[in-house]
Amino acid sequence: MKKKIISMTMAAVLGLSLAGCGSGPDNASSGGKDTSSSSSNSKGSSSEVANKDKPLVWFNRQPSNSSTGELDMTALSYNDKTYYVGFDANQGAELQGTMVSGYIKDNIDKIDRNGDGVIGYVLAIGDIGHNDSIARTRGVRKALGTGVEKDGDINSEPVGTNTDGSASAVKDGEIEAGGKKYVVRELASQEMKNSAGATWDAATAGNAIGTWSSSFGDSIDVVVSNNDGMGMSMFNAWSKDNKVPTFGYDANNDAVAAIADGYGGTISQHADVQAYLTLRVLRNALDGAEIDSGIGKEDDAGNVLSDDVYVYNEEQRSYYALNVAVTAENYQDFTDSTKVFEPVSKQLDSGSHPSKKVWLNIYNASDNFLSSTYQPLLQNYDDLLNLEVDYIGGDGQTESNITNRLGNPGQYDAFAINMVKTDNAASYTALLNQ
């Protein structure tokens, strides 16, 4: 199998995402497909394969310990047809941090709003137990020089408020630009978790920026978010009118469009490549084909990915899409986040690749990135790959809201799972073991 092997730290990836993750519409788009129950109006699978032996892909949230980031290799190697699909969280996190610090340096003449020599930023944290969120917080703090080491890595804990620079989880950084040195300070950060327990919550972020702006006023020079859902909520609530650059992650359509109105930038995690890989590894396993077919090796329709858009880590059984910074210089190339990736857009022959039935869940039907970008992409690719997919939208809070709708796994040929919490893979595999 042709593949590119990389060495990655265990805390690098979530699962997730970016996600990605955030809040948006009340319900994930179903594209006319059943999202309410795994058993309604479904044709039974013709497969006699035991559920525990069927192809399984974890996506967006990598099975792992939410406290340490250690990968759950039991889940990742559940059977010989099990894989994970996500993106390179460390590479994306570093890219976001570099994007923010580069913007500050390039615009230093106007970014220190009150002229006090301190570049103050606030940070919206998505989920303190999510590997993607941890990585992005670390990436920003590393690039801005505000990171403090804890247990061998940069501390990713929220600081609450830190107007005097005395918080222990961060320190004051320094940037030199225009022949002058500036202090960089994380004025405030918090996990955006609502009263119902859902994380990456955009409404909570919108409320937070209201509180922070009332408290810190023109000391806030930059707004940073772990994703675009929260970033756009803060941008629309406050920073757009006050011309404060805001940076997110996911390259959602609304965030990309907002760059023309002053949104500082975002990171594309190549959702088009991730969505393709999510279904492609299942297609290959169902066909009994080489797993690299249509990925690193051209398939019979001519689909193939170049090695500059993804990497495969064989030891972790994980495919990771690479990230791209989206800024004022190139945002027009990213205005449609639901467009399939052209190199893998060719229809498979139904004779050689007959229709198969897949159960796929989205952990939170209200997640902006997953419902507005990822699922529409999946729905474009499922037809190209001749897969009949049932899309199940969760509540973002409890695993049982999803697992309760996997009551008859025998009617499916394969499974694609997006967990609520990265620790909970066993909640799903236990159902497949029955």
Side-chain angles (χ1 to χ4, degrees):
M1 177 172 66
K2 177 183 176 183
K3 44 193 171 281
K4 186 174 179 182
I5 312 300
I6 57 168
S7 173
M8 305 183 75
T9 59
M10 291 306 183
V13 189
L14 60 246
L16 56 95
S17 325
L18 62 132
C21 311
S23 60
D26 290 335
N27 293 290
S29 170
S30 66
K33 300 182 183 181
D34 176 27
T35 61
S36 62
S37 171
S38 63
S39 59
S40 61
N41 300 320
S42 300
K43 297 178 182 178
S45 167
S46 60
S47 172
E48 295 181 0
V49 177
N51 294 322
K52 65 181 179 62
D53 298 323
K54 293 176 180 178
L56 166 64
V57 61
W58 309 99
F59 71 97
N60 182 256
R61 296 194 164 196
Q62 193 172 31
S64 59
N65 185 302
S66 61
S67 298
T68 67
E70 182 179 0
L71 296 186
D72 179 356
M73 292 308 301
T74 299
L76 289 166
S77 56
Y78 173 65
N79 62 33
D80 62 358
K81 304 178 189 70
T82 298
Y83 296 89
Y84 169 74
V85 172
F87 65 98
D88 188 335
N90 275 354
Q91 180 250 350
E94 292 176 3
L95 196 60
Q96 186 189 35
T98 300
M99 176 177 63
V100 175
S101 64
Y103 185 97
I104 292 173
K105 292 174 182 177
D106 291 344
N107 296 276
I108 197 64
D109 57 330
K110 58 185 178 183
I111 208 161
D112 183 10
R113 297 202 302 146
N114 62 3
D116 64 353
V118 177
I119 306 302
Y121 72 94
V122 294
L123 175 64
I125 295 175
D127 182 341
I128 58 175
H130 192 301
N131 285 351
D132 286 349
S133 190
I134 291 169
R136 294 171 197 176
T137 296
R138 287 173 174 166
V140 169
R141 289 176 176 173
K142 178 181 179 181
L144 298 180
T146 56
V148 172
E149 186 172 307
K150 180 182 179 182
D151 299 328
D153 212 329
I154 292 175
N155 194 336
S156 61
E157 297 172 355
V159 301
T161 58
N162 180 45
T163 53
D164 60 359
S166 63
S168 59
V170 293
K171 65 182 180 181
D172 282 353
E174 183 179 271
I175 280 182
E176 184 170 353
K180 180 180 177 180
K181 292 182 178 179
Y182 294 82
V183 171
V184 181
R185 179 173 297 162
E186 187 171 306
L187 298 172
S189 56
Q190 73 177 62
E191 180 185 40
M192 299 305 168
K193 185 175 183 178
N194 67 22
S195 58
T199 53
W200 303 86
D201 188 63
T204 302
N207 292 334
I209 195 64
T211 300
W212 288 339
S213 61
S214 296
S215 301
F216 313 140
D218 59 7
S219 294
I220 303 175
D221 302 305
V222 178
V223 176
V224 186
S225 172
N226 281 172
N227 78 349
D228 282 332
M230 299 180 299
M232 281 299 294
S233 182
M234 295 189 292
F235 183 70
N236 290 326
W238 179 78
S239 50
K240 178 181 179 179
D241 290 342
N242 289 275
K243 302 187 184 306
V244 175
T246 301
F247 298 87
Y249 202 114
D250 286 337
N252 290 341
N253 282 343
D254 59 343
V256 172
I259 291 175
D261 298 321
Y263 197 70
T266 182
I267 301 294
S268 167
Q269 52 176 277
H270 255 313
D272 48 2
V273 173
Q274 286 187 68
Y276 173 74
L277 286 169
T278 298
L279 296 180
R280 184 74 213 208
V281 295
L282 294 180
R283 178 75 264 178
N284 289 345
L286 289 165
D287 289 344
E290 182 180 354
I291 197 61
D292 210 31
S293 178
I295 301 176
K297 180 181 178 181
E298 188 172 299
D299 67 12
D300 50 12
N303 296 302
V304 67
L305 293 172
S306 57
D307 61 9
D308 60 345
V309 297
Y310 83 101
V311 291
Y312 176 64
N313 187 303
E314 185 174 28
E315 182 181 353
Q316 298 174 5
R317 299 185 63 82
S318 297
Y319 286 89
Y320 302 109
L322 299 179
N323 303 267
V324 181
V326 182
T327 65
E329 285 70 40
N330 67 347
Y331 77 94
Q332 292 182 338
D333 296 332
F334 294 85
T335 54
D336 184 1
S337 65
T338 63
K339 181 180 178 181
V340 300
F341 194 47
E342 194 279 331
V344 289
S345 61
K346 300 175 182 66
Q347 178 74 49
L348 295 188
D349 177 71
S350 60
S352 303
H353 310 274
S355 179
K356 296 291 183 178
K357 195 166 179 59
V358 176
W359 187 94
L360 182 150
N361 83 280
I362 299 293
Y363 96 100
N364 186 356
S366 295
D367 182 279
N368 185 279
F369 168 67
L370 291 171
S371 64
S372 299
T373 298
Y374 210 102
Q375 184 170 327
L377 282 165
L378 290 168
Q379 291 170 326
N380 287 331
Y381 285 120
D382 63 17
D383 289 334
L384 293 174
L385 297 173
N386 302 324
L387 296 174
E388 182 185 348
V389 182
D390 280 352
Y391 293 92
I392 312 301
D395 63 5
Q397 300 169 40
T398 60
E399 225 71 60
S400 61
N401 182 266
I402 300 164
T403 55
N404 286 345
R405 288 180 281 169
L406 186 54
N408 185 12
Q411 67 181 301
Y412 295 97
D413 298 296
F415 307 93
I417 296 173
N418 173 221
M419 295 176 287
V420 174
K421 292 294 182 184
T422 62
D423 311 81
N424 291 338
S427 299
Y428 299 87
T429 55
L431 293 174
L432 301 183
N433 286 335
Q434 294 177 3

PDB file of all heavy atoms in Angstrom, residues 258-279:
ATOM      1  N   ALA A 258     -16.902  36.489   5.492  1.00  0.00           N
ATOM      2  CA  ALA A 258     -16.723  37.606   6.422  1.00  0.00           C
ATOM      3  C   ALA A 258     -15.318  38.200   6.374  1.00  0.00           C
ATOM      4  O   ALA A 258     -15.101  39.303   6.884  1.00  0.00           O
ATOM      5  CB  ALA A 258     -17.036  37.157   7.847  1.00  0.00           C
ATOM      6  N   ILE A 259     -14.364  37.509   5.760  1.00  0.00           N
ATOM      7  CA  ILE A 259     -13.013  38.072   5.634  1.00  0.00           C
ATOM      8  C   ILE A 259     -13.060  39.383   4.860  1.00  0.00           C
ATOM      9  O   ILE A 259     -12.306  40.315   5.138  1.00  0.00           O
ATOM     10  CB  ILE A 259     -12.067  37.047   4.971  1.00  0.00           C
ATOM     11  CG1 ILE A 259     -11.825  35.874   5.932  1.00  0.00           C
ATOM     12  CG2 ILE A 259     -10.739  37.690   4.586  1.00  0.00           C
ATOM     13  CD1 ILE A 259     -11.001  34.739   5.349  1.00  0.00           C
ATOM     14  N   ALA A 260     -13.992  39.481   3.919  1.00  0.00           N
ATOM     15  CA  ALA A 260     -14.151  40.735   3.163  1.00  0.00           C
ATOM     16  C   ALA A 260     -14.624  41.866   4.053  1.00  0.00           C
ATOM     17  O   ALA A 260     -14.429  43.047   3.727  1.00  0.00           O
ATOM     18  CB  ALA A 260     -15.142  40.518   2.020  1.00  0.00           C
ATOM     19  N   ASP A 261     -15.235  41.528   5.206  1.00  0.00           N
ATOM     20  CA  ASP A 261     -15.755  42.536   6.132  1.00  0.00           C
ATOM     21  C   ASP A 261     -14.884  42.715   7.368  1.00  0.00           C
ATOM     22  O   ASP A 261     -15.305  43.351   8.330  1.00  0.00           O
ATOM     23  CB  ASP A 261     -17.177  42.160   6.568  1.00  0.00           C
ATOM     24  CG  ASP A 261     -18.153  42.117   5.408  1.00  0.00           C
ATOM     25  OD1 ASP A 261     -18.041  42.997   4.523  1.00  0.00           O
ATOM     26  OD2 ASP A 261     -19.010  41.212   5.375  1.00  0.00           O
ATOM     27  N   GLY A 262     -13.682  42.123   7.358  1.00  0.00           N
ATOM     28  CA  GLY A 262     -12.764  42.344   8.467  1.00  0.00           C
ATOM     29  C   GLY A 262     -12.456  41.148   9.341  1.00  0.00           C
ATOM     30  O   GLY A 262     -11.643  41.265  10.274  1.00  0.00           O
ATOM     31  N   TYR A 263     -13.105  40.012   9.088  1.00  0.00           N
ATOM     32  CA  TYR A 263     -12.729  38.785   9.820  1.00  0.00           C
ATOM     33  C   TYR A 263     -11.278  38.495   9.473  1.00  0.00           C
ATOM     34  O   TYR A 263     -10.899  38.454   8.304  1.00  0.00           O
ATOM     35  CB  TYR A 263     -13.634  37.642   9.378  1.00  0.00           C
ATOM     36  CG  TYR A 263     -13.682  36.427  10.281  1.00  0.00           C
ATOM     37  CD1 TYR A 263     -14.283  36.485  11.526  1.00  0.00           C
ATOM     38  CD2 TYR A 263     -13.158  35.201   9.856  1.00  0.00           C
ATOM     39  CE1 TYR A 263     -14.372  35.349  12.346  1.00  0.00           C
ATOM     40  CE2 TYR A 263     -13.236  34.068  10.650  1.00  0.00           C
ATOM     41  CZ  TYR A 263     -13.838  34.145  11.905  1.00  0.00           C
ATOM     42  OH  TYR A 263     -13.920  33.024  12.704  1.00  0.00           O
ATOM     43  N   GLY A 264     -10.442  38.274  10.487  1.00  0.00           N
ATOM     44  CA  GLY A 264      -9.010  38.216  10.245  1.00  0.00           C
ATOM     45  C   GLY A 264      -8.545  37.039   9.413  1.00  0.00           C
ATOM     46  O   GLY A 264      -7.651  37.171   8.567  1.00  0.00           O
ATOM     47  N   GLY A 265      -9.133  35.876   9.645  1.00  0.00           N
ATOM     48  CA  GLY A 265      -8.725  34.699   8.894  1.00  0.00           C
ATOM     49  C   GLY A 265      -9.211  33.431   9.562  1.00  0.00           C
ATOM     50  O   GLY A 265      -9.723  33.436  10.683  1.00  0.00           O
ATOM     51  N   THR A 266      -9.045  32.319   8.860  1.00  0.00           N
ATOM     52  CA  THR A 266      -9.484  31.021   9.366  1.00  0.00           C
ATOM     53  C   THR A 266      -8.565  29.959   8.788  1.00  0.00           C
ATOM     54  O   THR A 266      -7.666  30.254   7.994  1.00  0.00           O
ATOM     55  CB  THR A 266     -10.961  30.769   9.005  1.00  0.00           C
ATOM     56  OG1 THR A 266     -11.382  29.516   9.551  1.00  0.00           O
ATOM     57  CG2 THR A 266     -11.166  30.760   7.501  1.00  0.00           C
ATOM     58  N   ILE A 267      -8.784  28.718   9.206  1.00  0.00           N
ATOM     59  CA  ILE A 267      -7.980  27.601   8.720  1.00  0.00           C
ATOM     60  C   ILE A 267      -8.895  26.581   8.059  1.00  0.00           C
ATOM     61  O   ILE A 267      -9.870  26.128   8.651  1.00  0.00           O
ATOM     62  CB  ILE A 267      -7.210  26.916   9.872  1.00  0.00           C
ATOM     63  CG1 ILE A 267      -6.277  27.904  10.578  1.00  0.00           C
ATOM     64  CG2 ILE A 267      -6.430  25.709   9.347  1.00  0.00           C
ATOM     65  CD1 ILE A 267      -5.134  28.428   9.736  1.00  0.00           C
ATOM     66  N   SER A 268      -8.575  26.239   6.820  1.00  0.00           N
ATOM     67  CA  SER A 268      -9.293  25.154   6.163  1.00  0.00           C
ATOM     68  C   SER A 268      -8.625  23.846   6.541  1.00  0.00           C
ATOM     69  O   SER A 268      -7.419  23.662   6.333  1.00  0.00           O
ATOM     70  CB  SER A 268      -9.253  25.327   4.639  1.00  0.00           C
ATOM     71  OG  SER A 268      -9.677  24.132   4.003  1.00  0.00           O
ATOM     72  N   GLN A 269      -9.392  22.927   7.113  1.00  0.00           N
ATOM     73  CA  GLN A 269      -8.854  21.613   7.459  1.00  0.00           C
ATOM     74  C   GLN A 269      -9.129  20.610   6.343  1.00  0.00           C
ATOM     75  O   GLN A 269      -9.139  19.408   6.577  1.00  0.00           O
ATOM     76  CB  GLN A 269      -9.422  21.124   8.788  1.00  0.00           C
ATOM     77  CG  GLN A 269     -10.937  21.147   8.886  1.00  0.00           C
ATOM     78  CD  GLN A 269     -11.431  20.553  10.195  1.00  0.00           C
ATOM     79  OE1 GLN A 269     -11.543  19.341  10.313  1.00  0.00           O
ATOM     80  NE2 GLN A 269     -11.745  21.393  11.154  1.00  0.00           N
ATOM     81  N   HIS A 270      -9.292  21.115   5.140  1.00  0.00           N
ATOM     82  CA  HIS A 270      -9.565  20.279   3.963  1.00  0.00           C
ATOM     83  C   HIS A 270     -10.707  19.319   4.259  1.00  0.00           C
ATOM     84  O   HIS A 270     -10.576  18.089   4.122  1.00  0.00           O
ATOM     85  CB  HIS A 270      -8.313  19.514   3.540  1.00  0.00           C
ATOM     86  CG  HIS A 270      -7.650  20.080   2.309  1.00  0.00           C
ATOM     87  ND1 HIS A 270      -8.349  20.410   1.167  1.00  0.00           N
ATOM     88  CD2 HIS A 270      -6.358  20.372   2.040  1.00  0.00           C
ATOM     89  CE1 HIS A 270      -7.508  20.885   0.260  1.00  0.00           C
ATOM     90  NE2 HIS A 270      -6.294  20.882   0.763  1.00  0.00           N
ATOM     91  N   ALA A 271     -11.850  19.898   4.630  1.00  0.00           N
ATOM     92  CA  ALA A 271     -13.025  19.071   4.901  1.00  0.00           C
ATOM     93  C   ALA A 271     -13.414  18.252   3.681  1.00  0.00           C
ATOM     94  O   ALA A 271     -13.951  17.133   3.814  1.00  0.00           O
ATOM     95  CB  ALA A 271     -14.193  19.953   5.333  1.00  0.00           C
ATOM     96  N   ASP A 272     -13.146  18.760   2.487  1.00  0.00           N
ATOM     97  CA  ASP A 272     -13.483  18.023   1.271  1.00  0.00           C
ATOM     98  C   ASP A 272     -12.685  16.725   1.182  1.00  0.00           C
ATOM     99  O   ASP A 272     -13.204  15.682   0.772  1.00  0.00           O
ATOM    100  CB  ASP A 272     -13.271  18.881   0.020  1.00  0.00           C
ATOM    101  CG  ASP A 272     -11.927  19.602  -0.023  1.00  0.00           C
ATOM    102  OD1 ASP A 272     -11.111  19.429   0.908  1.00  0.00           O
ATOM    103  OD2 ASP A 272     -11.691  20.345  -0.990  1.00  0.00           O
ATOM    104  N   VAL A 273     -11.434  16.784   1.619  1.00  0.00           N
ATOM    105  CA  VAL A 273     -10.601  15.580   1.619  1.00  0.00           C
ATOM    106  C   VAL A 273     -11.015  14.649   2.757  1.00  0.00           C
ATOM    107  O   VAL A 273     -11.100  13.426   2.587  1.00  0.00           O
ATOM    108  CB  VAL A 273      -9.108  15.954   1.737  1.00  0.00           C
ATOM    109  CG1 VAL A 273      -8.243  14.711   1.922  1.00  0.00           C
ATOM    110  CG2 VAL A 273      -8.669  16.734   0.500  1.00  0.00           C
ATOM    111  N   GLN A 274     -11.304  15.218   3.928  1.00  0.00           N
ATOM    112  CA  GLN A 274     -11.726  14.399   5.065  1.00  0.00           C
ATOM    113  C   GLN A 274     -13.021  13.639   4.770  1.00  0.00           C
ATOM    114  O   GLN A 274     -13.127  12.441   5.061  1.00  0.00           O
ATOM    115  CB  GLN A 274     -11.954  15.284   6.295  1.00  0.00           C
ATOM    116  CG  GLN A 274     -10.702  15.801   6.951  1.00  0.00           C
ATOM    117  CD  GLN A 274     -11.033  16.517   8.253  1.00  0.00           C
ATOM    118  OE1 GLN A 274     -11.456  15.899   9.219  1.00  0.00           O
ATOM    119  NE2 GLN A 274     -10.856  17.823   8.268  1.00  0.00           N
ATOM    120  N   ALA A 275     -14.002  14.333   4.232  1.00  0.00           N
ATOM    121  CA  ALA A 275     -15.288  13.691   3.952  1.00  0.00           C
ATOM    122  C   ALA A 275     -15.114  12.561   2.936  1.00  0.00           C
ATOM    123  O   ALA A 275     -15.710  11.486   3.072  1.00  0.00           O
ATOM    124  CB  ALA A 275     -16.291  14.725   3.444  1.00  0.00           C
ATOM    125  N   TYR A 276     -14.297  12.817   1.929  1.00  0.00           N
ATOM    126  CA  TYR A 276     -14.017  11.774   0.943  1.00  0.00           C
ATOM    127  C   TYR A 276     -13.371  10.563   1.606  1.00  0.00           C
ATOM    128  O   TYR A 276     -13.805   9.414   1.397  1.00  0.00           O
ATOM    129  CB  TYR A 276     -13.104  12.319  -0.155  1.00  0.00           C
ATOM    130  CG  TYR A 276     -12.619  11.271  -1.125  1.00  0.00           C
ATOM    131  CD1 TYR A 276     -13.473  10.725  -2.084  1.00  0.00           C
ATOM    132  CD2 TYR A 276     -11.298  10.812  -1.088  1.00  0.00           C
ATOM    133  CE1 TYR A 276     -13.023   9.754  -2.974  1.00  0.00           C
ATOM    134  CE2 TYR A 276     -10.844   9.846  -1.971  1.00  0.00           C
ATOM    135  CZ  TYR A 276     -11.705   9.316  -2.918  1.00  0.00           C
ATOM    136  OH  TYR A 276     -11.261   8.360  -3.794  1.00  0.00           O
ATOM    137  N   LEU A 277     -12.343  10.800   2.416  1.00  0.00           N
ATOM    138  CA  LEU A 277     -11.645   9.699   3.068  1.00  0.00           C
ATOM    139  C   LEU A 277     -12.557   8.927   4.008  1.00  0.00           C
ATOM    140  O   LEU A 277     -12.456   7.688   4.123  1.00  0.00           O
ATOM    141  CB  LEU A 277     -10.434  10.234   3.839  1.00  0.00           C
ATOM    142  CG  LEU A 277      -9.232  10.663   2.998  1.00  0.00           C
ATOM    143  CD1 LEU A 277      -8.225  11.424   3.849  1.00  0.00           C
ATOM    144  CD2 LEU A 277      -8.562   9.452   2.346  1.00  0.00           C
ATOM    145  N   THR A 278     -13.464   9.636   4.691  1.00  0.00           N
ATOM    146  CA  THR A 278     -14.385   8.983   5.611  1.00  0.00           C
ATOM    147  C   THR A 278     -15.174   7.880   4.921  1.00  0.00           C
ATOM    148  O   THR A 278     -15.325   6.772   5.446  1.00  0.00           O
ATOM    149  CB  THR A 278     -15.357  10.017   6.219  1.00  0.00           C
ATOM    150  OG1 THR A 278     -14.608  10.977   6.972  1.00  0.00           O
ATOM    151  CG2 THR A 278     -16.380   9.353   7.128  1.00  0.00           C
ATOM    152  N   LEU A 279     -15.675   8.169   3.734  1.00  0.00           N
ATOM    153  CA  LEU A 279     -16.455   7.182   3.004  1.00  0.00           C
ATOM    154  C   LEU A 279     -15.592   6.282   2.120  1.00  0.00           C
ATOM    155  O   LEU A 279     -15.941   5.117   1.874  1.00  0.00           O
ATOM    156  CB  LEU A 279     -17.511   7.885   2.149  1.00  0.00           C
ATOM    157  CG  LEU A 279     -18.580   8.660   2.929  1.00  0.00           C
ATOM    158  CD1 LEU A 279     -19.575   9.307   1.973  1.00  0.00           C
ATOM    159  CD2 LEU A 279     -19.307   7.772   3.936  1.00  0.00           C
TER     160      LEU A 279
END
